[in-house]
Amino acid sequence: QARLVESGGGSVQAGGSLKVSCVVSDYPLCNACTGDISWFRQAPGKEREFVSTIVHSGRTIVPDSMKPRITLSKDCPTNTVTLEMNSLTSDDTAMYYCKLTYCRGTSWGQGTQVTVSS
């Protein structure tokens, strides 16, 4: 089973940007036949929300509402996917999770907290 570890969360000023990473272990993201990494977030008292996906080919899927603010990238040598989001507001405060969808099923990370303060 693949393991995912998120990092890079913390406190950010409104209007600033965040950069969170997801490191995948025990599964070669770029050399395997499949492997999509998705980002979700969940704020207190709210349902988990889809943020974006980078599929195995490198194509990205981002909700229209977030497209102007999001950049996704994948680094094969380090088996890492990075999510960058700018123009942050308090609405972006949440726990951010990455999820791997692959031939063995799915695996989730434990999440990293992002808090946006004004």
Side-chain angles (χ1 to χ4, degrees):
Q1 189 78 357
R3 293 180 296 115
L4 284 69
V5 178
E6 301 94 337
S7 64
S11 295
V12 186
Q13 290 285 323
S17 60
L18 70 82
K19 185 175 181 179
V20 291
S21 296
C22 176
V23 178
V24 180
S25 301
D26 300 325
Y27 189 79
L29 271 182
C30 299
N31 296 334
C33 58
T34 186
D36 303 339
I37 292 287
S38 298
W39 285 96
F40 292 81
R41 66 184 183 184
Q42 188 165 20
K46 295 187 177 180
E47 293 186 356
R48 190 165 290 189
E49 177 186 22
F50 170 71
V51 176
S52 58
T53 294
I54 184 164
V55 303
H56 185 255
S57 66
R59 181 174 64 91
T60 59
I61 302 169
V62 182
D64 288 342
S65 61
M66 296 187 186
K67 274 182 182 176
R69 302 198 293 135
I70 283 186
T71 302
L72 278 173
S73 59
K74 182 166 62 175
D75 182 69
C76 293
T78 61
N79 234 28
T80 301
V81 170
T82 299
L83 167 70
E84 296 182 69
M85 182 183 289
N86 56 37
S87 302
L88 296 174
T89 71
S90 57
D91 289 341
D92 296 311
T93 293
M95 186 73 83
Y96 284 71
Y97 300 89
C98 60
K99 181 183 87 168
L100 170 65
T101 303
Y102 64 134
C103 50
R104 301 176 202 166
T106 60
S107 291
W108 288 84
Q110 294 299 306
T112 184
Q113 177 68 38
V114 173
T115 302
V116 182
S117 58
S118 56

